[in-house]
Amino acid sequence: TGAPLLDTLSALQGEGVALPGGGRFALPAWSPDGVENVLRALQSSPVMHNASPLDAVMVDAVALLFDVIFEDKQAPDRLKALIARLQIPVLRVALKDRSLFSQRAHPVRRALDALARLAPRVHEGEGGAARLAQVGTTVDRLLATAETGDAAFETAAAELEALERESEQAIESGIADDIAERVRAERAGLA
């Protein structure tokens, strides 16, 4: 199952697909400033008329996943725009590998989970902007290699988890520096 829809997704990522009665259907264009759940557009398109019921359920499940991500108030819009670019690659994996939703260690889940945990750490500011740029590089690389499936997501998950660890260490180091400075100030005040 999923092969005809997978083939259609490949065409949709290109110039779109020809419709039986004439015309073409293409997914909305990606915008670096906006966040749109393109899977909702896919669901209501004529392309889904030939999809199997199981494929339709998978499209809905992945669309719901992205709905939740896009509604997250902690994630800045620039991060959401990067994540939005992953909709079709995530759907492609979900159609091929149904274990995506049942295995916490699945590379796609790990990558999305790491992005969710990074969300509060990529806000404006020097450190957040640098982390956001690193996320952008990882997303670009993932999109360039997404056809390799789990291997591309495995690499992306590892990169994002490493970025998350670095972010956590930077926060802990900053807190330790703040505490040390307050202790020094308090001791100076007592002296």
Side-chain angles (χ1 to χ4, degrees), residues 5 8-9 12 17 19 24-30 35-49 51 56 59-60 62-64 66-67 70 84 87-88 91:
L5 185 54
T8 301
L9 289 176
L12 284 174
V17 293
L19 298 175
R24 297 192 79 66
F25 173 76
L27 292 173
W30 176 77
V35 175
E36 182 174 351
N37 194 334
V38 298
L39 300 179
R40 294 293 178 208
L42 175 64
Q43 280 182 302
S44 61
S45 76
V47 169
M48 291 302 293
H49 292 290
V59 171
D60 190 47
V62 176
L64 282 169
F66 281 96
D67 284 342
F70 298 151
Q87 292 175 85
I88 298 299
L91 178 58

Side-chain angles (χ1 to χ4, degrees), residues 86 89-90 93 97 99-115 117 138 142 148-161:
L86 299 176
V90 169
V93 171
D97 181 2
S99 71
L100 164 69
F101 294 104
S102 62
Q103 293 181 357
R104 276 201 143 100
H106 194 286
V108 173
R109 292 246 332 242
R110 287 181 38 230
L112 292 175
D113 288 347
L115 284 167
R117 289 187 301 267
T138 298
L142 174 60
T148 62
D150 283 358
F153 277 99
E154 182 66 45
T155 301
E159 289 175 11
L160 292 167
E161 289 165 345

Side-chain angles (χ1 to χ4, degrees), residues 66-74 80:
F66 281 96
D67 284 342
V68 169
I69 291 169
F70 298 151
E71 290 171 5
D72 183 359
K73 301 288 187 230
Q74 284 189 315
K80 290 178 186 178

